[in-house]
Amino acid sequence: MLETLSDKSKHIAIGAALGIFFTLSTTAIVLATRGVTASQRHAQQRDSNSAANKSSRRRSSKEQISLPNAEKSATICDGIAGLIGNTPMMRIKSLSEATGCEILAKAEFLNPGGSTKDRVALSMVDTAERDHVLTPGNGSTIFEGTVGSTGISLAMIAKARGYNAWIVMPDDVALEKSQLLEKLGAHVEKVRPVSIVDKNQFVNLAKRRAQEFSKDNKGIGSSGDDATGFFADQFENLANFEAHFTTTGPEIYRQTQGNVDAMVMGAGTGGTLAGVSKYLKSRLPDLRTYLADPQGSGLFNKVKYNIMYSPTEKEGHRKRHQVDTVVEGVGINRLTRNFAMSEGYVDDAIRVTDQEAVDMARYLVQKEGLFIGSSSAVNCVAAVRIARELGPGHTIVTLLCDSGHRHLTKFWSDEYLTAQGIEVKDSVDNLEFIA
């Protein structure tokens, strides 16, 4: 009986030993197939613990942690500026399936300030600080003339950096833009829309206000230094172009792995078009780049025929003084330094009507649940046109500059659109509205 139990114990012990050996062997094989041995794994764990301890000691000593923008997806970003850029790229399913092309859109409305202008605002303020034009916390004020988005982005950055913001804008833009600016603590000055040659045009007035502020506040900053009135000047300030050449363009290239046949976007200041086009063309010389231009803007003819001209200049029945369109944020009738940077990098231009832009916005809500602003709608119409021109199998990239949230009282107002002679349809379930 005792011998039998002893034999059983031996068998159990041998079985357990074999089981442990088999388990360890299997684990070693699995780890080896992953390129990691047990000893390496333990060494990596020790290194990881050591690194964590060192990181903890650095944090406890309050040393500054470097958080580059390109790594923000894997790190904790340093304030709201760290949220700017690296926006996702999305495939617009309905447009892609309808055209047989991959129509991709960079979701710039996911920047913290709600638009691609966050990049520009940050670049202009960073440049001004680097050049010692702006000093945080000394009572300086940032001035800008804008139809909305750049002002909102500047007001946000101003608060984060310890500045005030003074925004001059036309009084006919969507109401919610000025409301957002006021909630961000900016001083908003609305003016009658007039030509750029008028001294009280919103951009010219912003520049003058900055000069007056600097003169009146000379030597009375918080440290006895000058409280500066900084005119951001998004139309002529090449920090605008640089923002897109150094961030937006590289992001598009990285996200698409360089697999892009065409790129299309509108232009207001021209900084986005110039910066992205120049960067992508340096990497992809066969890429086709297109300007998407709303009705009433002269840029279409500038790109197509090298003549800055809009038919509305002759017809004389404008809806708005600045540009004859319900679209806000793109379209202009003068050349800027930023737009000039696109010379030689834009291959063609697409004209988009107000009706097409309105229909596209409604179509994307119905098909995608995608609620976009007016300039984004212009971009999407142009992307479909290019897809039809190139034929199935191509990849077209565009930008969704902002959402529809700041366009509720204009581009998304049925009453306003009807008054402008635009048909507001109950349902838009196909792309037949694109000529």
Side-chain angles (χ1 to χ4, degrees), residues 46-59:
R46 286 195 302 272
D47 290 343
S48 175
N49 291 338
S50 176
N53 290 334
K54 288 179 181 178
S55 176
S56 178
R57 286 196 296 271
R58 283 198 300 269
R59 284 194 294 270

Side-chain angles (χ1 to χ4, degrees), residues 5 64 69 82 158 173 198 216 250 281 292 299 344 385 387 389 393 404 432:
L5 287 174
Q64 185 175 0
N69 221 24
V173 301
D198 192 306
D216 294 343
K281 286 273 194 176
L299 296 179
R385 282 232 182 86
E389 177 186 312
E432 292 178 2

